[in-house]
Structures are given as structure tokens and as C-alpha cells.
Amino acid sequence: MSEFDLRIYDVLIIGAGPCGLAVAARLRESTPSALFTESEHQKFHFIKASSSRQNSNTKFKNKPIRASRRAHTSPDRLLPGHDVSNHELDIVVLDANGDQWMSAWNEKFEDLGIMHLRSPMFFHPDPRDRDGLLEFAVSEGRQGELKEISGVVGKELSKHQRKKKLRDGNKRPQETTYVDERDRHDYFRPSQALFKDHCTSIVARYNLANLVQKAEVTSIIYSPTSSLFTLQTSYGIKKAHIVVLAVGSAAKPSLPPDCLFCTLPPNESVTHVFSKSKSHHKTKTTSTPTPTILPPSLLAKAHLNLPTSLAIIGGGLTSAQTAHLAALHNITKTHLILRGPLKTKHFDVDLCWLAKFKNHNMSEFWKADSDAERVEMMKVARGGGSVNPEYKGILMDLVREGRVAVWEFMEVGDAVRDGERRWRLELVGKDGRKEDILVDHVVYATGVVADINRVEAVKPLLQSYPIETVGGMPCLTKELMWNEEVPFFVTGRLGGLRLGPAAPNLEGARLGAEFIAGKIASLISSFDKGFDRVFAEEVDMRRLGLGRQNQFDVLEMNETDSDEDLGIGIARAML
């Protein structure tokens, strides 16, 4: 097949995870739900009005300011946005992991043996309804698969009560933000099985099942002349008018560049938690699947009841889940090594970015003076790696049993391989203390650095259309587009400068899909207008309509057009 015979897609999405699914579903939804609830809007307008009264120095400062939106606005005064669902876009999704939606996501949950998500019920990729996941659980009679997030919902505190609690308990402001009792139903955690089935229902509702192709994208090139993207993939060339990058950090799992083991010869006994060896396999003979994140040699020793030990480096939820998994597979001793303290939070981001103050905080984020300031806001909101209370309890139980040792404020200062093929690690604390431990295997659960400059497939685009980056994230337009001339969109973790602290999470997936779909709708609309404008310049529509121009002259306008294109052109001319 020649290059000119290639199929040209309207939209090509790279990544079939939550972000990719959210974008594809949103492109086929004509009536999406609101991103913010009515109570969040009311709280935002109340805070905004109060702030305006406090900061106003004009003679009208005592004049009451309306703090809520008009509920009786006439429908004809509401301007509808662009609707992309009616365009029947030709969409394709490329995923390096598989040809099914959410394959990498489901695989990681299975590998780690995770039964419930960390996020609340309103974190999901369904564009139709903010409460779509909760509705699905109720309609399927699966409320028993929900776990309540304790300690979040409580009596709303007044401003003075919050200040008093800060003074008395010396707590962070985020810890005193409670969710109103009426929103209790939102703060449950769904099971992975329920969330998986909900995503499957989204795929079926929007007829998205056949869009995913297994292919790794190696190069992305944009031609302004043809207004087309050309993508080199592991299965050939793909072309599209619009491309959406929805692949999380877009980097392969690897050891941190500053780790001690990077200076030593490569060794299979030191791995990243999500890197896989060819010898890894799964078995269906037991109720607990053999994990692909633990080496077969270590599992074989544990199966023979021989002494085994494992070092996990990292302080996030994945490290705690890996320690729990090791205990389930009879690993004798697991050492959890953290640079800082073992922090406990319900969510990756502080509660004030999720509850009723979310609208206000996101407004402050978007109004920040610079992207550098936004990066700092994201760091403060996320606060580094943390575990949720459930896994904190699991870890503490294992510590009491003597199966897990937690080393806080410690780093690996030296590592030596002994004659029995084990690692002797020297742990160095911030206070200068040193400890030696002996382990069979080392696992890094330190996450993956998100840096658009390190994404190989995007490097040709960076060379042709340079873009400023801050903290590894591109400075996109407010609609997550590369620039106004290049219809290349970035969502998920790499879109954090526009999506906020929750960009790497499910909340960021849904928010990014809304931004992108709106812009794609306007682009498609402009494409249609551009076609009509060019056609109108070449054909006098009035003379054609009055019968004063030969209709067959239209056929001679462009001899290179296909029969299908000419048919469409004549049909439009006759409208």
C-alpha cells in the first residue's frame, strides 16, 4: 500500500487507558455532565463575593454582591458550545500494551493484587454523568463492593472553628476541610472489579470496542501544508488530522537516574516495580496469581520455605502494596526504605482539591501568574508519595508480626553483592546513623518521571515546533493543544500545568477530555466552514441555484477528486 492510499483518521488517540477512554467517550457524548456540582459553584461564588467585599475600597463596597447564579435564566440566552458527537468522527486508538481498553491499568491491578481503588466514586472516565459509577453500582446491585472512606465526611466547620482547630492542633489547613454529610455517598472506594465493569459499559455505550489497535508509536511528524500528522508505529504508518497523547508519563519504567545501582553493572535482582522480565508468568492454579513484579527465583525460594528477603525503595502507595503482596507470597522479611516519613493520606491530592472548595482552588490555580507557580502549587497539593489509611494499617500489622521493617529517613549509601548472590545494603540516615541489611532482591517503587522532552515519539514534533516546558510538562494552550497551529493535544500527567494537581489521576482524565473535546469540536467546525468557503469561491451558488450555471461544470473543478468527494461536493452544492 502506498503512502497515498493510507487511511486518514479524524482523531488518533495514543493510549487506551483512562485518559484515552475519557477522550474517546467524550467525543461521542452530546450531553456531557458538568465538571463541578451546583454546591461547588455556590461555594465558589460565595467565596468570590466575600473576597470582593473585603478587598473593595470603592464607595460601593457596602453594596451587597450577588453570590449565586440566576436559576431562572431563559434557555434561549444560554449559548450552546460546539457539539462534536454529531460529526461521526473516524477515530483510532493506538496502545503499546494491547488491543483492549484499559489493558495496562487492569494488568497492574492484577499484578499487585489490588482489590479497591484509592479514589472516590466521582473519579471515573464517564462523560455522561458525574455520578455514573455510583449509578452503575446501584443499578447492578453491587453496593457491597464499595468501601467507605472513613474520617472524611463530617460536620461542616465554620471559619472560626477551622482557625481554632489550626491553633490548637497545629494541623495543616487541608486536614480541617470536611465533606458535608449530604455528600457522604461520594466518598466510597469502588472495587477494581466494579470499576472495570463500569469502563466496559462505557465502551459498549459509545461503541468504542473496535477502535483500539496494539501498536507502539515511535515518531510523530506534522505537516502544515497538508495539515496532517504522520505517525511511525511498530505496525506501519498512520495518518490523522488530530492527535491526542493520553499515556500518563509516557515513559517506560526504569530505575531513577540518581540511584546507586545505576552506577553498577545491570543485574536482574534490581528492578523497577513495573518492569517485567521475560521469565515472568502467571498461573491460574492458585487463587492468588503469581505476581510479575517479583522475580521467579525469589518466589521459588519462598515456595520451598527457605529464608527470603526483599528491599522496596519508595514511600508511595505502590511500595506498600508491593510489601503486602510479598507477605502474601511468604517472603520472610521485607524492608521498606523511605527518604522521608511514611505519610498517610486518603488521596494523592489534598482533600481541598476534591471537595466543595475544589472550584475555588482550581480558579486560583488557573489564575496563577506563571506556570512555575502552578508547579509549586501542584507539589504542595500532592505532597509526595503517601499511603492511604487502609494500607497503613496493613503495613503496621506486618511490622508487628516482624515481617516488614520500615526504614524512614534512610537511603541506600552502598551496595555489595556477596558470594551467595545477595545484596548487602548500607542504609544511611539523615541524622548520620547507619544500618546494614541483607536482601535477595531490590525493587524500586519510585514512580516514573514525567518529562515530555524524554518521550521519543514526540521529539520530531519538539524539533519542528518547540514548546516551553516547566517541570517536564509542556506549556500548552488552555485547551491542552500544542499551539494554535498544531492540533496535537496532551492530557493526563503531562497536561498538569492546565489540569491541576489531580492531572495524573482519574479526575484529570475526565477534566482533560472535556477541554480537548470542546476544542476538537471547534476545529472540526472550522474545517467544515473552510470547505464551504473554498467551494463557494469556486462556485457561484446563486447562479447555480437559479439554473444559470451548468451543474456539470462542478465536475471539472478538481479532476483529481475521487468520485466519493465529488458526490459529497455536489450534494453540498445542491443544499
Side-chain angles (χ1 to χ4, degrees), residues 473-489:
M473 295 173 286
C475 301
L476 307 167
T477 68
K478 62 182 181 180
E479 298 93 355
L480 304 182
M481 199 164 80
W482 199 257
N483 58 47
E484 292 300 333
E485 285 72 39
V486 181
F488 181 78
F489 295 86

Side-chain angles (χ1 to χ4, degrees), residues 114-134:
I114 304 173
M115 302 304 295
H116 283 77
L117 275 66
R118 184 180 190 175
S119 53
M121 295 299 292
F122 52 90
F123 277 25
H124 56 76
D126 190 348
R128 186 180 66 179
D129 187 0
R130 178 184 180 273
D131 297 323
L133 181 55
L134 178 61

Side-chain angles (χ1 to χ4, degrees), residues 20-34:
L21 177 58
V23 172
R26 176 60 185 87
L27 291 176
R28 291 192 172 177
E29 174 57 61
S30 59
T31 58
S33 65

Side-chain angles (χ1 to χ4, degrees), residues 114 159 332 398 443:
I114 304 173
K159 177 180 66 175
T332 309
L398 293 173
V443 171

Side-chain angles (χ1 to χ4, degrees), residues 323-472:
H324 182 220
L325 187 66
L328 292 177
H329 287 274
N330 203 31
I331 304 300
T332 309
K333 187 77 172 185
T334 298
H335 300 271
L336 190 58
I337 305 170
L338 304 86
R339 287 184 177 180
L342 180 62
K343 292 178 287 189
T344 306
K345 292 197 305 184
H346 283 290
F347 314 110
D348 288 321
V349 295
D350 289 321
L351 186 59
C352 63
W353 291 89
L354 307 178
K356 60 193 175 187
F357 296 102
K358 175 179 68 173
N359 204 336
H360 176 69
N361 287 324
M362 287 303 298
S363 175
E364 294 298 321
F365 179 83
W366 286 324
K367 291 190 298 184
D369 294 332
S370 66
D371 285 325
E373 184 179 345
R374 294 186 181 94
V375 169
E376 293 304 315
M377 294 174 70
M378 293 173 66
K379 290 180 179 179
V380 172
R382 297 189 69 85
S386 63
V387 302
N388 63 359
E390 179 188 12
Y391 273 93
K392 175 67 176 298
I394 292 174
L395 281 179
M396 293 303 100
D397 289 341
L398 293 173
V399 169
R400 284 188 289 270
E401 296 172 6
R403 304 188 64 186
V404 170
V406 179
W407 302 93
E408 297 180 281
F409 300 101
M410 302 286 277
E411 295 187 68
V412 178
D414 192 20
V416 179
R417 187 85 158 163
D418 67 7
E420 298 182 9
R421 302 179 63 81
R422 293 183 298 179
W423 287 102
R424 184 175 299 277
L425 305 181
E426 181 187 61
L427 305 183
V428 181
K430 290 185 177 181
D431 56 358
R433 65 189 178 101
K434 296 182 179 180
E435 298 284 349
D436 288 340
I437 60 174
L438 197 63
V439 299
D440 296 297
H441 192 83
V442 180
V443 171
Y444 273 84
T446 51
V448 180
V449 177
D451 189 349
I452 192 72
N453 298 293
R454 297 185 183 182
V455 182
E456 289 295 328
V458 184
K459 286 185 177 180
L461 199 64
L462 284 166
Q463 294 174 358
S464 302
Y465 303 93
I467 189 172
E468 183 182 355
T469 61
V470 179

